Amino acid sequence: GEGGQQDYAEAARWFEKAANSGLPDSQFNLGVLYEQGRGVNQDHGTAYVWYAIAARSGDRDAELRAEAMTTHLSPARLAEAKTAADGWRAEPLDPQANGLQVADAAPTKAMIAEAQRLLNALGFDAGPADGVIGPRTVTAIRSFETGAGLTSTGRVSTGLLEALRSAS
């Protein structure tokens, strides 16, 4: 905490919980801890994994850090890290936690595709309406949210779909 003694091991523990729940900022921060060996054993391969996962959410800094980690890894370790990042999936959210509605816990492929279609129709380049979240979709969502005066999350939710439908 601010003004207190820093405990990187405890920070790593909490960042890992949040990262495994799918929070890109925590994924990036966990990558930093592994890159620098703060609170965890320094491991550039694991740092690469967390940066690559965060980059999938459209985080350009994470993309650059993942790329930088490749210079520290053998070809075999890099291949292993890429496989781990590609196979990573967020742990399911508890829909009762923090008062989330079940519909907001995780968007379906159909919800994502609808958001992409609506974003494209409104002039935001979300890429193909394939139901898969990629950097273009995240950037388009954030641009729409900012322009509509909404909190910029880059995530598909029932609230986002309602706002997109209203704007169409």
Side-chain angles (χ1 to χ4, degrees):
E2 191 173 318
Q5 185 175 3
Q6 292 180 336
D7 185 342
Y8 288 110
E10 187 69 5
R13 188 173 77 79
W14 285 104
F15 281 138
E16 186 167 11
K17 284 180 175 283
N20 280 319
S21 294
L23 298 173
D25 287 344
S26 293
Q27 294 160 349
F28 181 89
N29 289 336
L30 193 55
V32 170
L33 293 181
Y34 275 102
E35 179 182 355
Q36 298 176 358
R38 293 182 182 221
V40 294
N41 291 328
Q42 186 178 42
D43 183 338
H44 291 127
T46 303
Y48 173 90
V49 170
W50 286 114
Y51 288 142
I53 292 167
R56 287 196 310 224
S57 296
D59 186 325
R60 179 72 176 134
D61 290 333
E63 186 179 335
L64 294 171
R65 297 288 280 264
E67 191 176 306
M69 288 298 96
T70 65
T71 64
H72 299 283
L73 302 173
S74 69
R77 181 64 174 115
L78 178 58
E80 180 183 299
K82 284 183 177 183
T83 299
D86 290 343
W88 181 88
R89 298 292 175 265
E91 294 173 355
L93 296 176
D94 176 358
Q96 301 304 315
N98 299 318
L100 288 176
Q101 299 299 314
V102 173
D104 286 338
T108 65
K109 191 168 184 161
M111 290 171 65
I112 296 166
E114 180 182 2
Q116 290 167 324
R117 280 191 301 276
L118 291 167
L119 286 162
N120 287 332
L122 290 167
F124 298 93
D125 180 14
D130 57 5
V132 177
I133 294 278
R136 283 169 59 189
T137 301
V138 171
T139 299
I141 291 169
R142 287 185 173 151
S143 294
F144 170 78
E145 289 171 325
T146 299
L150 303 171
T151 301
S152 179
T153 66
R155 298 180 187 274
V156 175
S157 66
T158 54
L160 174 72
L161 286 173
E162 288 172 12
L164 286 168
R165 289 176 192 136
S166 294
S168 293

